[in-house]
Amino acid sequence: MDVRRAAERYQGGEQAAGITTRHAFSFGPHYDPDNLRFGALIACNEERLAPGAGFAEHPHSHTEIVTWVVEGELTHRDSAGHETVIRPGGVQHLSAAAGVRHVERNDAAVPLVFVQMWLAPVRTGGEPRYTAVPALPDTTPYAVPEAAAALHVRRPAAGERTRLPSAAHCYVHVVRGEVRLNGERLGPGDAARITGAEDLTAQAVTDAELLVWEMADRA
């Protein structure tokens, strides 16, 4: 298990434009050849957008983009004609496939916080696809078959234990609260990269919210 602390994330975004980003992996000008990916996961960005701030239209291809809204409202528009507003507890999945353009904005009057995760697909090409789930239950993982992966959301109360999926690669990101995992105490923004996860449980020190990726071995 490789623990990466919140303070180790790369600082990004454009604060003058109301955008603050913390990158868990090598991203853009923050190139780190030893931190390019874990399993299928190639990005896990904590994004904070001030009211009225956002990312202008930009392209993506050959990437599975999954977004979890923590606070506020995320407005999404793309070149395939989709326009949605995602609120806390909602998950959005843009399968960029051969190519798509999109806009992400905070059109609300309150700050927006979300976690955006990028995964490498098993196969490239195809037609773009968009899915939005307004409220993802803890008991229902969100499958991303294009990347041989599934996202689990766990919200254990203080003192509760939650079982992690057994998988070739398991990535745990703490959204809020604190948990103990395999002898380590993890807080907001901390993450654990677990290879060969089996029979592991996380115990909540406080009420907590976790994003857990279950990823198959594609080697």
Side-chain angles (χ1 to χ4, degrees):
M1 187 173 81
D2 179 11
V3 173
R4 303 293 178 105
R5 300 296 179 183
E8 298 177 62
R9 288 174 171 262
Y10 305 116
Q11 182 74 49
E14 188 179 350
Q15 293 195 9
I19 302 171
T20 302
T21 306
R22 302 282 294 192
H23 301 288
F25 294 87
S26 181
F27 199 97
H30 303 285
Y31 179 68
D32 181 352
D34 296 322
N35 189 26
L36 298 178
R37 66 188 291 171
F38 177 72
L41 197 62
I42 56 177
C44 180
N45 303 335
E46 292 182 328
E47 304 281 4
R48 288 171 170 78
L49 272 60
F55 298 99
E57 185 175 281
H58 56 281
H60 288 284
S61 62
H62 314 305
T63 310
E64 304 302 316
I65 304 171
V66 179
T67 305
W68 175 258
V69 176
V70 180
E71 299 174 9
E73 299 180 351
L74 171 64
T75 297
H76 164 93
R77 293 189 296 275
D78 64 42
S79 55
H82 303 104
E83 182 168 350
T84 57
V85 175
I86 305 297
R87 297 179 174 86
V91 65
Q92 156 181 288
H93 175 200
L94 178 62
S95 182
V100 68
R101 302 180 66 86
H102 76 150
V103 173
E104 295 168 302
R105 291 192 52 79
N106 179 10
D107 290 331
V110 297
L112 167 65
V113 180
F114 62 94
V115 181
Q116 188 166 95
M117 299 150 286
W118 298 8
L119 298 95
V122 176
R123 288 177 292 278
T124 58
E127 293 296 320
R129 185 172 62 83
Y130 179 80
T131 305
V133 180
L136 186 67
D138 290 13
T139 54
T140 307
Y142 180 79
V144 184
E146 297 89 345
L151 175 65
H152 301 253
V153 178
R154 303 288 170 81
R155 302 182 185 93
E160 287 186 349
R161 293 178 177 271
T162 183
R163 192 175 195 80
L164 301 183
S166 296
H169 304 285
C170 183
Y171 186 89
V172 181
H173 171 82
V174 181
V175 176
R176 55 180 130 223
E178 293 187 357
V179 298
R180 286 193 184 92
L181 176 59
N182 201 31
E184 294 280 355
R185 188 161 175 156
L186 306 179
D190 291 347
R193 308 176 186 190
I194 308 165
T195 302
E198 189 173 347
D199 297 327
L200 287 178
T201 61
Q203 182 175 16
V205 177
T206 66
D207 292 352
E209 181 173 287
L210 311 175
L211 300 178
V212 181
W213 279 104
E214 173 189 359
M215 296 174 283
D217 189 352
R218 291 159 40 179

